[in-house]
Amino acid sequence: MRIVEMNLGFLGLQFSFGLQQSNMAPIYSYLGASEASIPLLQLAGPLTGLLIQPLIGAMSDRTASRWGRRTPYFLVGAVLCSIGLFVMPLAPTILAAVCTLWLLDAGNNITMEPYRAYVSDRLSDEQRNFGFLSQSAFTGLGQMLAYLAPSFMVSALGFDLNAVDAHNIPVITRAAFTIGAVLSFTTIVWSIWRVPELPLSDAARAVIRAKSRTVGATLGEIWDAIVTMPVTMRKLALMSLFQWYAMFAYWNYVVYSISRSVYDEANPLSESFRRAVLDNGIVGGFYNGIAFIAALVMVPLSKRWGPATTHAVCLVAAGLGMAAIPHIADKSWLLVPAIGIGIGWASIMGNPYIILARSIPPERTGVYMGIFNMMIVAPMLLNAVTMPLYFNTLLAGDARNALTLCGVLMLAAAASVFWAREPHAHTGRTSANA
């Protein structure tokens, strides 16, 4: 229960990410953006992750405040995230939405990296499998609730699907983001209040105080960590390239694919498109619910088969699911491929971190978790820059073709997992049990 409670903040954090994944592309379309430009408008996510997470990781490794190493970053990130969520659906223009997304993603990333390190700090080697996979479970639960919130408001609370503001943004979108603003802050505060960080030993404090805390020293620490990166971590980069390029494209284009295959509609201001957004909410909620369950089931499977083999199998399931969606014309059948996507998503948020935690030295957990996030956001950044260049040509301006590409890339990621051999558990960790 302590491990579950310390990961509760991931519920609010991932509710925020779920709102972005399911609503940001439609919000841009409501404000007049073209489909080809959607990845570029989403640039804030990968770029803030690329810049902020390694920096915050290195800084938190060097922090020895009265509140702990990671807690100050949790709180700052939670405040920024909540402000961004509240303001986003009020954006009157594409530019305003882009600027707000930068604020929101900065908050998310300031919180995310120390949260990974906090779990690694707090748990023993034996507990770490459950620790990271329980984070994965809360990822599934938080995003499931975020995806389902608009549909629940329409079907159960009587909200009008066609009620929009002067900028074509639905009222249900505004309500969902307001809920997210409250949930993001309160769950993070609950986690750090109920399961505070372990106090640093005098020896650990002495090591931290001996390190320079200047920006130059922090950047030097990041560069040195990159140069001396463990071999296993380097090999995980290829897997990350394929799976995260695919995930970013999937989130950006699945709504447009459903709108075409189910409703034969491409106009983002139509009622059919808004229904496609709700359908994607149900699909996303379902696959995140599957992810929540799969993450718990995966704990013994990961121990028995190893996280690499388990992850490869799950990525194959996700790839087949993504490739199937463009061929489905009846929305009720969309839940079938969502099963595979949910299994893959559960593994993505858990198993690579188990492989990583076994290969990195404990005293540099923060900086290496931040650098590993660079391997997540760099493929997204690559997608944001390259997808607009070939969307209207190689993909014929059709989001269904983008989903097919996602499926192929997931299968490539599955094949590349085996290149990253798993080392023996790193010795020398002295973290106490939670």
Side-chain angles (χ1 to χ4, degrees):
M1 281 306 299
R2 295 294 301 281
I3 295 174
V4 169
E5 203 166 24
M6 73 186 291
N7 281 312
L8 184 64
F10 241 62
L11 176 70
L13 186 62
Q14 295 301 329
F15 192 96
S16 172
F17 276 115
L19 289 175
Q20 288 181 246
Q21 291 166 10
S22 58
N23 291 283
M24 278 313 305
I27 285 175
Y28 283 134
S29 291
Y30 299 144
L31 296 174
S34 67
E35 287 185 32
S37 68
I38 294 299
L40 198 56
L41 293 172
Q42 302 272 39
L43 194 62
L47 198 54
T48 54
L50 186 67
L51 298 175
I52 289 177
Q53 287 217 26
L55 186 62
I56 294 297
M59 289 173 62
S60 67
D61 281 346
R62 294 163 179 263
T63 298
S65 73
R66 58 182 293 187
W67 300 283
R69 303 171 76 184
R70 321 295 180 185
T71 300
Y73 303 96
F74 291 162
L75 294 177
V76 171
V79 170
L80 293 178
C81 180
S82 296
I83 293 172
L85 286 170
F86 182 78
V87 173
M88 177 59 76
L90 304 177
T93 64
I94 293 174
L95 179 60
V98 168
C99 292
T100 305
L101 184 60
W102 280 88
L103 174 68
L104 174 57
D105 273 320
N108 282 335
N109 281 289
I110 289 171
T111 304
M112 174 69 81
E113 193 288 326
Y115 221 122
R116 295 288 192 188
Y118 160 62
V119 170
S120 188
D121 292 342
R122 198 69 164 81
L123 303 182
S124 67
D125 286 329
E126 293 74 23
Q127 295 173 315
R128 205 164 286 119
N129 270 32
F130 182 70
F132 284 119
L133 287 172
S134 64
Q135 276 194 358
S136 180
F138 274 117
T139 295
L141 180 60
Q143 294 194 12
M144 178 184 71
L145 295 175
Y147 272 96
L148 291 177
S151 295
F152 180 79
M153 292 175 192
V154 172
S155 61
L157 301 182
F159 278 70
D160 183 3
L161 170 65
N162 295 312
V164 299
D165 64 16
H167 310 293
N168 300 309
I169 297 178
V171 171
I172 55 175
T173 302
R174 181 181 298 180
F177 272 71
T178 302
I179 293 170
V182 174
L183 194 62
S184 179
F185 183 79
T186 55
T187 56
I188 291 170
V189 170
W190 179 270
S191 285
I192 59 181
W193 173 56
R194 293 292 295 164
V195 191
E197 294 184 66
L198 294 172
L200 291 169
S201 66
D202 292 338
R205 287 183 178 276
V207 170
I208 292 173
R209 290 195 184 105
K211 295 180 179 179
S212 174
R213 300 182 187 180
T214 65
V215 174
T218 300
L219 294 176
E221 168 73 7
I222 295 171
W223 177 250
D224 181 70
I226 292 173
V227 171
T228 60
M229 186 185 302
V231 173
T232 297
M233 187 174 176
R234 291 180 186 274
K235 290 183 176 182
L236 287 172
L238 184 62
M239 174 207 72
S240 292
L241 172 63
F242 291 131
Q243 74 181 21
W244 287 106
Y245 193 103
M247 288 305 306
F248 193 67
Y250 173 82
W251 292 325
N252 284 333
Y253 286 112
V254 63
V255 169
Y256 304 95
S257 177
I258 292 172
S259 184
R260 282 174 169 79
S261 64
V262 175
Y263 297 101
D264 194 26
E265 179 62 74
N267 180 8
L269 300 184
S270 66
E271 180 179 340
S272 293
F273 182 81
R274 288 192 288 272
R275 290 196 178 280
V277 174
L278 290 188
D279 291 342
N280 179 56
I282 294 172
V283 169
F286 183 74
Y287 87 64
N288 277 289
I290 293 293
F292 175 72
I293 297 170
L296 300 177
V297 173
M298 227 172 277
V299 174
L301 293 180
S302 181
K303 286 183 177 180
R304 182 174 181 178
W305 298 346
T309 301
T310 304
H311 189 49
V313 172
C314 294
L315 289 178
V316 170
L320 295 176
M322 289 179 179
I325 287 178
H327 305 286
I328 295 176
D330 183 343
K331 67 178 185 179
S332 61
W333 285 99
L334 290 170
L335 298 183
V336 176
I339 296 173
I341 296 171
I343 292 171
W345 183 230
S347 185
I348 286 171
M349 296 303 291
N351 282 309
Y353 292 95
I354 298 172
I355 300 171
L356 176 66
R358 292 176 176 179
S359 69
I360 58 177
E363 68 275 7
R364 305 184 87 175
T365 296
V367 68
Y368 274 124
M369 287 292 180
I371 291 171
F372 189 64
N373 186 70
M374 294 170 67
M375 298 181 185
I376 295 173
V377 298
M380 296 184 185
L381 183 60
L382 182 64
N383 180 287
V385 173
T386 59
M387 183 71 81
L389 300 178
Y390 65 84
F391 180 78
N392 288 326
T393 53
L394 295 179
L395 301 181
D398 192 329
R400 290 171 291 188
N401 294 329
L403 267 287
T404 301
L405 174 63
C406 292
V408 173
L409 291 174
M410 277 297 193
L411 296 180
S416 66
V417 169
F418 293 105
W419 189 49
R421 65 177 179 83
E422 297 174 43
H424 295 292
H426 195 285
T427 58
R429 283 192 178 270
T430 57
S431 299
N433 293 354

